[in-house]
Each structure stands twice: as C-alpha cells, then as structure tokens.
C-alpha cells in the first residue's frame, strides 16, 4: 500500500525539525566552549596577586582624587666624556614614572572636577620629601598629589624640548652670579657656593592654575621674559647640564619683557 501524501509530509517535517534542533545544540555547544576558553585565558590576569608593604591585597592600586602613584627612578648626570655619574645633590627633586593617576579632585565650593595633569606613563619631577613612600609588588613607589608635581615629560630623559612645567610653575634659566664686583674685586667661589639665585630668563611656562570654574588663569609672564622671584622660592633642577629653577607664578615679583 502506497503511503499517503499526509504521511510523507509529516515524516519530512519531523526530519527537518530534528536537523534544526541538532544544529542549534551544536552551535550552542561551540559558543559555550568559546566562552569557557575566553574566560580561562583571562583568568590568570583576574587572579593576579598584588602586594602592598609585604601584604596581599585584592588587586592593583587605584589612586583616588588627585593622588598619583609614582615609581621612582635613579637620576644620572653625564660628564662631557659621556660617563654617567649619580646625582651628588641629594636635595634635588625626585624623578619618577607615573604608574597610575586618579581622576582629579572636586573643587570644594563649585564641585567642578580639577583634572589630574599627568597620566600613566608620564615621567614626573617632584619634591624629595613629598608624598608617602610604599613598597608595591616588591618595588619602591611613592604616592603623591598632583600639586607636588613640578614638571612632567615623555621620553627617556629630560630635555628642554620635552619638559612641561606643571600647571602654575614657570621654568627659569638661572643667571650665573658674577664673581667680580664693579670695582674689580674678585669674590672667591667658596663664598658664592650657598648663594641662591632669584632671577633669570623664562625658559618655559605652565598652562596656569586651574580656577574654580575649571578654566586656567593667565600666566604673569611668557617665554623670554626676565623675572625676579622671592628668595628660596624655587626648586633647582638641572636639564641637559644647565641649571634651572621651577617657580610658582605667585612667587614671581616682577616680569620684564625683553
């Protein structure tokens, strides 16, 4: 007896449904396997153990507000012959690389966020006694504020071309003090050893201090101007063998255009 058309149609529909169901299960299994492999490959990164001052912590440090985590590095000077020597002036600013930086602090009156001037990977210069020293993943680091940053740059070492004074700082090329008076008397160099210069030519100017509205104030001087500033107000730094001084804009007494 020949099967009816209805029987053949039902059999064909059953076969198609079984094939589609099998294909769906196979695709789902493949997708699940891929997700499992993806999760297993990222698992080591998620479970990476971090240490702070010898103690295990849940994960990497995330600075809050205007804090900046810096990995300090040795500062070396080079002689004319190319020989590298450690910096003998221990009271000079400390140099380091930014490991992580917070988003910036909120102004206490307006609520405007004052963004952090540096980001991960920047090299920064900050005061020797600024910040809080820690040991993070078995290497020395320092947690500082963005206000502690004197200047920052990108590159292997500081050059006049790549340094940027931070916010309201001005980089001043120090005028060398004369060792001879107007009457011709020569002053011994030992007498001038502790002399702190408080004048010079502006080499670079920061973008200005950020106001409560999130805008930058206008700098009181520009590159090339001759300035005088308060005694002991600056932070000495040597760039490419030349002496400079980083001074806050509020410490500048007078600016003389050249």
């Amino acid at each position: 007896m020949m099967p009816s058309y209805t029987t053949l149609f039902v059999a064909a529909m059953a076969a198609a449904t079984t094939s589609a169901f099998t294909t769906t299960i196979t695709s789902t299994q493949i997708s699940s396997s891929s997700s499992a492999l993806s999760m297993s490959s990222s698992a080591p990164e998620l479970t990476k153990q971090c240490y702070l001052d010898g103690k295990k912590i849940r994960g990497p440090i995330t600075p809050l507000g205007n804090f900046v985590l810096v990995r300090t590095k040795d500062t070396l000077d080079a002689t004319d012959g190319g020989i590298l020597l450690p910096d003998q002036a221990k009271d000079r600013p400390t140099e380091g690389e930014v490991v992580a930086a917070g988003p910036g602090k909120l102004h206490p009156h307006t609520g405007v966020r004052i963004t952090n001037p540096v980001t991960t990977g920047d090299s920064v210069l900050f005061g020797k006694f600024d910040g809080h020293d820690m040991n993070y993943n078995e290497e020395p680091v320092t947690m500082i504020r963005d206000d502690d940053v004197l200047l920052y740059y990108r590159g292997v070492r500081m050059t006049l071309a790549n340094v940027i004074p931070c916010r309201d700082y001005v980089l001043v090329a120090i005028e060398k003090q004369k060792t001879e008076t107007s009457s011709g008397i020569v002053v011994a160099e030992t007498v001038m050893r502790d002399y702190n210069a408080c004048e010079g030519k502006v080499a670079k100017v920061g973008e200005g201090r950020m106001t409560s509205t999130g805008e930058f104030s206008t700098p009181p001087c520009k590159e090339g101007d001759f300035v005088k500033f308060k005694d002991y107000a600056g932070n000495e730094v040597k760039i490419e063998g030349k002496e400079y001084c980083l001074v806050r804009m509020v410490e500048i007494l007078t600016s003389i255009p050249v």
Side-chain angles (χ1 to χ4, degrees), residues 139-198:
E139 66 176 346
V141 295
T142 303
M143 186 72 80
I144 62 175
R145 295 181 183 270
D146 60 355
D147 292 334
D148 299 327
V149 178
L150 304 174
L151 61 76
Y152 57 95
Y153 65 95
R154 287 267 181 173
V156 178
R157 61 182 303 174
M158 286 189 297
T159 63
L160 188 59
N162 67 6
V163 297
I164 303 173
C166 189
R167 293 281 162 85
D168 62 332
Y169 274 100
V170 177
L171 184 66
V172 181
I174 299 301
E175 293 288 328
K176 190 174 181 180
Q177 182 66 15
K178 296 180 180 180
T179 57
E180 184 177 345
T181 64
S182 57
S183 58
I185 301 175
V186 178
V187 181
E189 292 186 1
T190 54
V191 177
M192 306 301 299
R193 182 177 300 168
D194 297 327
Y195 171 78
N196 287 282
C198 56

Side-chain angles (χ1 to χ4, degrees), residues 93 125 147 149-151 164-174 196-209 219-221 227-237 244-254:
L125 206 68
D147 292 334
V149 178
L150 304 174
L151 61 76
I164 303 173
C166 189
R167 293 281 162 85
D168 62 332
Y169 274 100
V170 177
L171 184 66
V172 181
I174 299 301
N196 287 282
C198 56
E199 60 185 32
K201 186 179 181 180
V202 176
K204 283 202 169 182
V205 182
E207 53 193 347
R209 190 166 189 82
C221 57
V227 295
K228 288 181 175 289
F229 49 91
K230 295 179 181 179
D231 293 340
Y232 306 101
N235 295 272
E236 295 181 1
V237 58
Y244 293 87
C245 198
L246 283 157
V247 187
R248 284 192 180 275
M249 294 178 182
V250 294
E251 304 291 348
I252 295 177
L253 301 175
T254 182

